[in-house]
Amino acid sequence: MADDSKATNLQRNLTLLWSGRSRGRRGPRARLNVERIAQAAVRIADADGLEALSMQRIAAELGYSTMSIYNHIPGKDLLLEVVADVAAGKPPELDDTDDFRQAVRQWVAALWAGFQARPWLLLVPLDHAPMGPHQLAWLDRLLRPLLKAGLVGGQARAAALHLTAVVRGVAQISLGMSGAGKTEDGFPRSEAELTQVLGELINPADYPALAAVQAAESAEDLGDGEALPAALEFGVDRFLDGIEAWVAAR
């Protein structure tokens, strides 16, 4: 029985994500539909953050009753899934080149820019692989250069999901440290401020490796203002080095 219910929910989710309306509706398409609800939700999240998003707020935005919203999208979890897919938008057009590394970097830069433009997307919980048309389009776009690099089948999918998780993880850390100034208790909110404070607290005798890394970072040009933060760019490049070496060894 539980498996049947799970399959039914999955089918319902797929229907809403791909067709934009629930099954079982008769007559002409209603003026209120999943697409309009999702677009209104994106506007609210863009303006006031994910915490401001609710069925009641969407209903007020569109001039409908809250129950009308529920009739199209029956729960908050499903709403978030639809909204995240709509907000993801279309993936970038990658350069038609034999240099798979360049194409992957373009994709990573576009995803990073999307998270910077809509940081609330990082707060949407993920409990399964992408299913929506936009998210799958992003995955498809990344798979192309990975397949060109020599990966096959599940290897390419695993690499793509890993890269997605890396970009998302770094962006979440960046989001956690974002914001000007400090908290009410005076604790630093920017990553640079936190690094400075930790540098004053860390005893090199207790944390020799960490102290050495922080000292080196302080002396380096970390690429502020570049398209990607230095840590993400370094990680992506080393990941691509690994793919090249592994494919060559095969």
Side-chain angles (χ1 to χ4, degrees), residues 130-155:
M131 295 193 310
H134 285 151
Q135 291 176 328
L136 287 181
W138 276 82
L139 177 60
D140 178 84
R141 198 60 51 86
L142 177 57
L143 286 172
R144 299 178 193 183
L146 293 175
L147 291 171
K148 185 177 292 186
L151 298 180
V152 295
Q155 300 166 0

Side-chain angles (χ1 to χ4, degrees), residues 18-183:
W18 284 86
S19 71
R21 64 184 299 187
S22 300
R23 283 189 172 183
R25 296 188 176 278
R26 298 180 179 179
R29 188 184 182 100
R31 288 188 300 154
L32 180 63
N33 53 51
V34 170
E35 180 68 19
R36 283 193 63 197
I37 293 171
Q39 292 292 351
V42 169
R43 290 194 298 271
I44 293 169
D46 282 346
D48 299 319
L50 195 66
E51 64 276 7
L53 192 58
S54 68
M55 298 298 197
Q56 292 81 1
R57 176 75 181 272
I58 296 171
E61 172 88 6
L62 294 175
Y64 285 85
S65 68
T66 302
M67 186 55 63
S68 297
I69 307 300
Y70 276 107
N71 286 339
H72 287 81
I73 302 180
K76 181 70 175 290
D77 290 345
L78 182 53
L79 171 68
L80 291 177
E81 186 164 359
V82 174
V83 169
D85 189 72
V86 170
K90 294 181 179 180
E93 293 294 337
L94 305 181
D95 291 343
D96 185 13
T97 173
D98 291 332
D99 183 357
F100 88 97
R101 298 177 67 110
Q102 177 182 337
V104 170
R105 289 194 196 98
Q106 282 185 289
W107 186 93
V108 168
L111 184 61
W112 174 262
F115 285 142
Q116 298 306 298
R118 285 178 167 154
W120 57 265
L121 279 171
L122 297 165
L123 302 177
V124 177
L126 301 177
D127 58 5
H128 57 71
M131 295 193 310
H134 285 151
Q135 291 176 328
L136 287 181
W138 276 82
L139 177 60
D140 178 84
R141 198 60 51 86
L142 177 57
L143 286 172
R144 299 178 193 183
L146 293 175
L147 291 171
K148 185 177 292 186
L151 298 180
V152 295
Q155 300 166 0
R157 178 186 288 274
L161 293 178
H162 178 78
L163 277 172
T164 303
V166 168
V167 179
R168 184 181 179 89
V170 175
Q172 285 175 324
I173 294 173
S174 174
L175 173 65
M177 296 304 302
S178 65
K182 302 181 180 181
T183 57

